[in-house]
Each structure stands twice: as C-alpha cells, then as structure tokens.
Amino acid sequence: MTPSPAADGRYPAPDFELPNQFGEPVRLSALQGQPVLVVFFPFAFSGVCSGELDELETVREEFGRDGVRMLAVSCDSKYALRAYSQARGYSFDLLADFWPHGRVASAYEAFDADLGRPLRASFLIDEQGLVRSVVRSGAGTPRPLQAYRDAVRELTSP
C-alpha cells in the first residue's frame, strides 16, 4: 500500500527491482539522485499504450535534458517487451512486472486485479525518492503529454 502523503503531498516511492526488456535488473533506489518518471501501462502492442509510449519517446531527450529517467512498466514478459521495444523504436527501459504478477503496480496502487493488468498511472519521483506528481487516466484514455511536461517543469524549475 502506498504510504500516506506528507503535508506537502510528497510520499516515499515504493522501491522495486524489475528486469528491463534485455533482462537487466533496474532498481529504483539505485536511481536516487535523479528524477524518475515511472509509467505503468496495461499491454505491449495495444493501440492506446503504443500511442502514449510513442509520445514519451518523442520527449525523451527533452526530459533527459532535465535529468529525468523514464521507466515504463507492464505485466508483459521481458521477451514481449523486447520485441515491442524493437518494433516501436523505444530507447527507454521497459520493465517486466511479470512475476509475481503485478507486484510493483500493486505497491503503487496501480493494478487492476480483476483484469490482471496495470492501470494507466504514472509517477514522477524526485531526486530524494519522493513521489511529486501522479498522472492517471481511465481505461482506453491516454494520459495527456502536457501533464507530464507540466510535472517535469514544476519539479525541475528553481
């Protein structure tokens, strides 16, 4: 369960380690010191998810200039995510929350246990490992790219 937010709305991001599309382990706490955008998405190769991740690929360099590392997480296997990444040309990590199925998405309260898939929920985590912004949308509805841009701008502006 996600911890309750502090008075300023921040709360510690649940730590995790998941394999990326190449089987390499990625641990959130190892990325402390830089902002991280964790994007949960329901399914590789689905239309809305592909559209969302395609948009994120277009701003990857922009966010990278602000020091933001992007991680996209689904319950697909690393093998499916590798094929998906290669087919779509993604240059950021796709992480497999495959087994135990949805454990990380559940820790972020971003898992639909009835359907066995992550919800459309994204978490911008600051350099100290605190969740600063959350972007959510309903099933079949893409998250607006501008919401990410606004969150990154708010986080990285002096």
Side-chain angles (χ1 to χ4, degrees), residues 100-122:
H101 191 75
R103 176 185 53 83
V104 173
S106 293
Y108 280 80
E109 296 181 359
F111 187 72
D112 184 330
D114 292 334
L115 297 176
R117 63 169 178 81
L119 300 170
R120 288 186 197 290
S122 302

Side-chain angles (χ1 to χ4, degrees), residues 1-3 11-16 40 97 102-111 123 136:
M1 184 141 192
T2 305
Y11 58 91
D15 194 20
F16 61 83
F40 290 96
D97 192 10
R103 176 185 53 83
V104 173
S106 293
Y108 280 80
E109 296 181 359
F111 187 72
F123 300 82
R136 292 181 183 267

Side-chain angles (χ1 to χ4, degrees), residues 58-59 62-63 144-154:
T58 68
V59 296
E62 173 187 333
F63 288 0
L145 184 60
Q146 190 59 46
Y148 293 121
R149 282 188 162 127
D150 293 344
V152 168
R153 187 177 315 111
E154 183 180 321

Side-chain angles (χ1 to χ4, degrees), residues 21-157:
Q21 67 267 38
F22 304 107
E24 303 161 335
V26 176
R27 178 175 286 283
L28 180 63
S29 58
L31 302 175
Q32 203 158 16
Q34 72 182 92
V36 179
L37 177 61
V38 178
V39 179
F40 290 96
F41 67 100
F43 302 109
F45 295 103
S46 64
V48 174
C49 295
S50 295
E52 286 187 302
L53 295 183
D54 288 353
E55 280 191 325
L56 287 173
E57 179 63 33
T58 68
V59 296
R60 185 190 58 76
E61 286 186 29
E62 173 187 333
F63 288 0
R65 285 189 299 273
D66 289 321
V68 177
R69 171 93 177 258
M70 289 193 305
L71 305 173
V73 183
S74 79
C75 291
D76 297 293
S77 74
K78 65 183 177 186
Y79 306 107
L81 291 175
R82 184 179 314 135
Y84 183 47
S85 177
Q86 289 172 342
R88 304 299 297 191
Y90 299 139
S91 57
F92 48 85
D93 286 310
L94 301 181
L95 305 181
D97 192 10
F98 183 71
W99 196 258
H101 191 75
R103 176 185 53 83
V104 173
S106 293
Y108 280 80
E109 296 181 359
F111 187 72
D112 184 330
D114 292 334
L115 297 176
R117 63 169 178 81
L119 300 170
R120 288 186 197 290
S122 302
F123 300 82
L124 184 59
I125 301 163
D126 68 16
E127 296 88 345
Q128 291 78 41
L130 301 174
V131 173
R132 293 283 299 269
S133 296
V134 179
V135 178
R136 292 181 183 267
S137 67
T141 304
R143 290 158 279 196
L145 184 60
Q146 190 59 46
Y148 293 121
R149 282 188 162 127
D150 293 344
V152 168
R153 187 177 315 111
E154 183 180 321
L155 178 67
T156 59
S157 295

